[in-house]
Amino acid sequence: MRNRRKDALRRAPGALEAEVLTVLWNAEEPLSPAEVQARLEDDLAYTTVVTILTRLHDKGVATREKHGRSFRYHAVDDEAGLAARKMTKVLESEPDRGSVLARFVTQLSESDEEVLRALLRGDSGG
């Protein structure tokens, strides 16, 4: 029989990484794993926090700098930058980028389409 309590507490894939990224985005300076751990709402083990930070670094989403015997971490991009990276990664994996972009544009709302048109014209106000 499945443990319902454990299933209810299980996070969606990527949820822990998102929580840690939020902590890094809200920080004004690079943080140590212990500082990230202290700012998280959940009681995560230090080793879990280090594993998540290492994964974020390996994915290129966070940078790290040596500080004594450990590292301090900082988010590379804000939320919009991270979303743009994901979109770029999807495009790079497709053999027919033109078709993917065409389909994407046809599915935009009118307001999003106008923002895109303004950006393509070089209008930063969008």
Side-chain angles (χ1 to χ4, degrees):
M1 180 170 212
R2 292 174 47 166
N3 183 342
R4 290 183 194 176
R5 183 168 182 252
K6 185 175 180 180
D7 288 344
L9 296 176
R10 182 167 279 167
R11 291 175 182 83
L16 280 178
E17 288 183 2
E19 289 178 40
V20 170
L21 264 177
T22 299
V23 169
L24 294 178
W25 284 326
N26 292 329
E28 295 182 17
E29 61 187 15
L31 299 176
S32 69
E35 291 168 328
V36 171
Q37 180 187 29
R39 294 179 188 199
L40 289 168
E41 292 181 14
D42 298 327
D43 288 332
L44 294 179
Y46 177 83
T47 54
T48 301
V49 175
V50 170
T51 298
I52 295 166
L53 289 167
T54 301
R55 285 182 186 160
L56 292 173
H57 175 263
D58 292 347
K59 291 179 179 182
V61 177
T63 60
R64 67 182 181 194
E65 57 190 48
K66 193 78 166 156
H67 191 266
R69 292 176 30 186
S70 64
F71 291 103
R72 297 181 70 79
Y73 293 83
H74 190 268
V76 173
D77 283 318
D78 58 9
E79 290 180 78
L82 181 58
R85 279 174 171 253
K86 289 178 183 177
M87 293 167 68
T88 300
K89 190 173 183 178
V90 168
L91 271 179
E92 289 173 348
S93 69
E94 294 296 324
D96 188 355
R97 293 172 69 126
S99 292
V100 174
L101 284 169
R103 181 71 55 95
F104 176 75
V105 170
T106 62
Q107 294 178 358
L108 291 175
S109 67
E110 286 184 35
S111 60
D112 286 344
E113 187 176 334
E114 186 52 41
V115 169
L116 183 57
R117 287 181 192 281
L119 290 169
L120 292 171
R121 285 192 305 264
D123 300 344
S124 60

